[in-house]
């Protein structure tokens, strides 16, 4: 394994994970490729058959970091959209503020509901918010896909900005649900002490 081979393989995460360069992705295929790459570039497998095990170890660590980075980018809709825009040389305006006032009002309302539910440990409200956010994620994903396929870059950038917000909101709901569920489980265990 040489540095130039590594660079060629890791230059494009879609190529690395054997995925077509598009927004839609097959998660199972991505997961299978991740496991294969992790096994292939594991330090134990690299260092066995080389003259310079120290250098091989370093290359293995670099490869593992890139594999993990690529997987994280491709598996999340917001980062995958950003990556596609970057590949198309259209990512320069991604950090601008969202200008859609209706989206912002809706997003602020969901954020306040989420913060209140987390503070109150209101699992019922959290369970109601989760499908609402998932629905909005699907809508923005479809908007991005259509805009990207048609090279409507401004709409694609707008959808990517909204995806970033919604992915963060969704992660916060999942974390809160997991936290409340874990606390409830611990409380139940206390009953049997």
């Amino acid at each position: 394994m040489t540095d130039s081979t590594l660079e060629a393989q890791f230059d494009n995460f879609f190529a690395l994970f054997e995925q077509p360069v598009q927004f839609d992705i097959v998660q199972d295929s991505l997961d299978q490729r991740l496991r294969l790459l992790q096994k292939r570039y594991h330090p134990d497998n690299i260092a066995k058959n080389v003259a310079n095990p120290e250098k091989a170890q370093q290359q293995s660590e670099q490869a593992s970091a890139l594999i993990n980075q690529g997987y994280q980018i491709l598996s999340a809709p917001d980062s995958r959209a950003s990556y596609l825009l970057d590949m198309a040389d259209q990512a320069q305006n991604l950090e601008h503020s969202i200008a859609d006032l209706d989206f912002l009002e809706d997003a602020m309302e969901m954020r306040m509901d989420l913060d209140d539910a987390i503070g109150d440990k209101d699992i019922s409200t959290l369970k109601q918010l989760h499908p609402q956010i998932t629905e909005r994620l699907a809508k923005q994903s479809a908007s991005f896909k259509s805009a990207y396929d048609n090279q409507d870059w401004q709409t694609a950038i707008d959808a990517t900005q909204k995806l970033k917000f919604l992915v963060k909101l969704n992660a916060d709901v999942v974390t809160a649900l997991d936290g409340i569920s874990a606390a409830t489980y611990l409380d139940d265990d206390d009953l049997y002490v």
Side-chain angles (χ1 to χ4, degrees), residues 118 120-123 126 174-192:
I118 290 172
D120 297 339
K121 296 186 177 28
D122 181 356
I123 198 161
L126 290 170
V174 170
T175 299
L177 283 168
D178 288 348
I180 292 172
S181 295
T184 303
Y185 178 76
L186 288 174
D187 288 346
D188 288 346
D189 280 354
D190 290 345
L191 295 174
Y192 301 103

Side-chain angles (χ1 to χ4, degrees), residues 27 31 39 116 147:
Q27 190 64 44
D31 294 345
K39 185 176 179 182
D116 289 345

Side-chain angles (χ1 to χ4, degrees), residues 103-173:
F103 177 85
L104 289 174
E105 185 177 333
D106 182 50
M108 288 290 287
E109 200 170 300
M110 282 192 298
R111 170 50 71 189
M112 288 189 298
D113 290 347
L114 174 59
D115 290 344
D116 289 345
I118 290 172
D120 297 339
K121 296 186 177 28
D122 181 356
I123 198 161
S124 174
T125 299
L126 290 170
K127 285 182 176 177
Q128 290 173 359
L129 279 170
H130 194 245
Q132 293 173 22
I133 297 167
T134 302
E135 180 184 321
R136 285 165 175 82
L137 274 169
K139 180 181 170 188
Q140 291 305 323
S141 292
S143 175
F144 176 85
K145 180 185 179 325
S146 174
Y148 177 79
D149 290 347
N150 294 309
Q151 297 186 358
D152 176 359
W153 301 124
Q154 188 52 52
T155 303
I157 289 167
D158 180 64
T160 303
Q161 291 170 321
K162 292 173 182 174
L163 280 170
K164 285 181 179 208
F165 178 85
L166 292 168
V167 165
K168 170 81 173 93
L169 204 61
N170 193 48
D172 289 349
V173 168

Side-chain angles (χ1 to χ4, degrees), residues 6 12-13 34 44 60 69 75 81 95 99 114 140 171 175-176 181:
L6 260 180
N12 179 325
F13 291 145
L34 173 67
D44 291 345
S60 173
Q69 180 187 3
S75 61
E95 301 308 319
L114 174 59
Q140 291 305 323
T175 299
S181 295

Side-chain angles (χ1 to χ4, degrees), residues 4-115:
S4 62
T5 304
L6 260 180
E7 287 175 17
Q9 290 177 325
F10 290 88
D11 192 37
N12 179 325
F13 291 145
F14 285 100
L16 179 63
F17 280 87
E18 297 182 341
Q19 298 286 321
V21 181
Q22 63 184 27
F23 183 72
D24 288 336
I25 209 153
V26 179
Q27 190 64 44
D28 287 347
S29 172
L30 195 69
D31 294 345
Q32 287 175 0
R33 183 74 179 153
L34 173 67
R35 286 190 290 275
L36 187 139
L37 289 168
Q38 286 175 330
K39 185 176 179 182
R40 182 179 298 164
Y41 290 97
H42 192 280
D44 291 345
N45 295 333
I46 299 278
K48 283 179 190 169
N49 302 316
V50 294
N52 187 344
E54 201 169 293
K55 184 176 180 183
Q57 174 79 22
Q58 185 182 20
Q59 288 180 336
S60 173
E61 289 171 2
Q62 290 173 343
S64 294
L66 285 170
I67 290 166
N68 290 333
Q69 180 187 3
Y71 179 79
Q72 294 300 322
I73 285 174
L74 296 184
S75 61
D78 60 330
S79 56
R80 187 168 62 247
S82 294
Y83 189 66
L84 284 167
L85 288 174
D86 192 39
M87 290 178 74
D89 200 25
Q90 298 295 324
Q92 63 275 11
N93 294 326
L94 274 177
E95 301 308 319
H96 290 182
S97 300
I98 297 172
D100 182 340
L101 295 180
D102 291 336
F103 177 85
L104 289 174
E105 185 177 333
D106 182 50
M108 288 290 287
E109 200 170 300
M110 282 192 298
R111 170 50 71 189
M112 288 189 298
D113 290 347
L114 174 59
D115 290 344

